[in-house]
Amino acid sequence: MSTVYLNGRFIPLEQATVSVLDRGFNFADGVYEIIPVFLGKLFRLPEHLKRLDNSLSGISLSLDYDGRKWRSVLDELLNLNRVSGDSTVYIQVTRGAAERNHFYQSGYTPTVFAMCKPLSGLDVSMGISAILHEDIRWEYCNIKSVALLPNVLLKQYARDKDGSHEAILSRDGYVTEGASSNVFIVLDNTVRTPPKSNRLLPGITRDLVVELIGKSGGPCLEVPVAEKELLQADEIWITSSTLGIAPVVRLDGRPVGDGKPGPVWRDTNDRYQAFKTNN
Ligand code: PDD
């Protein structure tokens, strides 16, 4: 995976450099996107590009890349890296390099970067563990900003505390999302996930899971999930482009349900895997 895209050119990773005055470096003034690639094919590309557009307009950054341009850049990137299996594409767009000043002006040249990396494929079939933590992030979590320090600290805290993979976050007593995932619970035989808002990222996997459960006839309620409902849940799942749907079997060291991946997860995950194979 040694060829990357930077500002219109495909170049070896070692030669890809940006200015120390880049506003992404100085202010985390940029956004990103992660697109999964299954068997060499970009998965849900239009949905990811739509979210990228929303993130860009969320920080008032205009970029002259339309869907066709992105498609040709990413196809070429996958081609040059001979990607035929499962992978991820990372895109980062920053406001570009300029003399350091909190104020920005129009007319900067955005920095546009993309690279791909094999999907690590963590085996989640036996379940993962998570901790519950206060959501310490800002109020614009719907923007996929590169300012990820709170998320980084939360995930590392989860790992250092008890080897957990994820920190499930809660604000004012209600679950928002994971530090790098969305959250679902199964309670009283219904699947629930927090509704979209500025307090969570509108996950592409989340939306697909809601859609797949809807099509299977079972309701998936997009409703606020109180911390105490999380603690009583029979099943907890987290979703992301890199993990898929992962059952959480331990929360803060205590078993979730019977401490094993549950039947609703199994059914939903089967549908998700089938969808992936056929799309
Ligand atoms: N993160 N919420 C947050 C805070 C995330 O960082 C992510 C994904 C998600 C899930 O979104 P999606 O289903 O579109 O991947 C929710 C990616 C994988 C990352 O930053 O590595």
Side-chain angles (χ1 to χ4, degrees), residues 32 34 51 144 177 179-182 201 203-205 240-242:
Y32 77 107
I34 301 241
R51 186 172 66 185
K144 204 161 170 58
E177 60 178 339
S180 65
S181 61
N182 293 108
L201 187 78
I204 306 301
T205 321
S240 79
S241 294
T242 45

Side-chain angles (χ1 to χ4, degrees), residues 203-252:
I204 306 301
T205 321
R206 171 205 180 277
D207 285 356
L208 178 57
V209 169
V210 171
E211 190 183 309
L212 292 176
I213 295 174
K215 279 193 191 139
S216 77
C220 178
L221 306 179
E222 296 179 74
V223 290
V225 173
E227 235 178 74
K228 68 172 193 304
E229 294 173 310
L230 180 81
L231 299 176
Q232 291 163 357
D234 300 313
E235 297 184 29
I236 301 175
W237 321 330
I238 58 168
T239 63
S240 79
S241 294
T242 45
L243 274 186
I245 314 172
V248 176
V249 293
R250 292 188 83 74
L251 182 65
D252 282 333

Side-chain angles (χ1 to χ4, degrees), residues 12-278:
L13 175 63
E14 305 72 45
Q15 289 170 22
T17 54
V18 293
S19 165
V20 290
L21 290 180
D22 195 282
R23 292 183 62 92
F25 185 54
N26 286 319
F27 296 107
D29 187 354
V31 298
Y32 77 107
E33 200 43 65
I34 301 241
I35 308 167
V37 176
F38 299 125
L39 293 175
K41 275 177 57 191
L42 290 153
F43 188 66
R44 302 228 122 187
L45 180 64
E47 288 83 355
H48 281 278
L49 293 180
K50 178 88 190 77
R51 186 172 66 185
L52 178 60
D53 268 350
N54 290 343
S55 294
L56 287 166
S57 52
I59 65 164
S60 306
L61 206 176
S62 58
L63 182 73
D64 58 353
Y65 279 50
D66 60 11
R68 193 185 300 192
K69 165 96 175 167
W70 274 123
R71 164 67 77 179
S72 77
V73 167
L74 301 183
D75 280 348
E76 183 65 359
L77 184 68
L78 296 178
N79 201 14
L80 291 171
N81 286 288
R82 298 186 209 294
V83 175
S84 55
D86 293 353
S87 178
T88 55
V89 167
Y90 174 85
I91 295 175
Q92 181 175 156
V93 183
T94 76
R95 209 179 301 275
E99 187 175 299
R100 187 180 181 282
N101 190 330
H102 285 65
F103 292 114
Y104 59 82
Q105 293 165 16
S106 54
Y108 299 155
T109 305
T111 301
V112 183
F113 172 64
M115 65 177 170
C116 50
K117 167 173 138 190
L119 195 53
S120 62
L122 178 73
D123 180 9
V124 298
S125 58
M126 302 302 285
I128 58 157
S129 55
I131 61 159
L132 178 60
H133 197 285
E134 189 195 336
D135 196 338
I136 56 169
R137 303 170 305 157
W138 69 340
E139 289 272 2
Y140 299 99
C141 295
N142 52 317
I143 298 171
K144 204 161 170 58
S145 152
V146 293
L148 287 174
L149 188 56
N151 310 58
V152 165
L153 295 179
L154 285 161
K155 277 195 84 98
Q156 193 63 39
Y157 177 73
R159 173 175 284 184
D160 293 346
K161 190 174 176 204
D162 64 1
S164 282
H165 183 82
E166 183 58 302
I168 293 179
L169 308 176
S170 134
R171 203 187 280 262
D172 303 331
Y174 286 88
V175 174
T176 54
E177 60 178 339
S180 65
S181 61
N182 293 108
V183 177
F184 288 74
I185 66 164
V186 180
L187 182 66
D188 302 332
N189 292 317
T190 34
V191 185
R192 303 173 196 196
T193 192
K196 289 184 198 174
S197 76
N198 58 311
R199 292 185 164 187
L200 55 103
L201 187 78
I204 306 301
T205 321
R206 171 205 180 277
D207 285 356
L208 178 57
V209 169
V210 171
E211 190 183 309
L212 292 176
I213 295 174
K215 279 193 191 139
S216 77
C220 178
L221 306 179
E222 296 179 74
V223 290
V225 173
E227 235 178 74
K228 68 172 193 304
E229 294 173 310
L230 180 81
L231 299 176
Q232 291 163 357
D234 300 313
E235 297 184 29
I236 301 175
W237 321 330
I238 58 168
T239 63
S240 79
S241 294
T242 45
L243 274 186
I245 314 172
V248 176
V249 293
R250 292 188 83 74
L251 182 65
D252 282 333
R254 285 185 292 276
V256 176
D258 63 4
K260 298 197 192 90
V264 190
W265 169 76
R266 210 170 294 284
D267 185 55
T268 309
N269 190 49
D270 287 350
R271 285 174 210 285
Y272 171 73
Q273 297 301 338
F275 185 92
K276 256 172 63 176
T277 320
N278 299 320

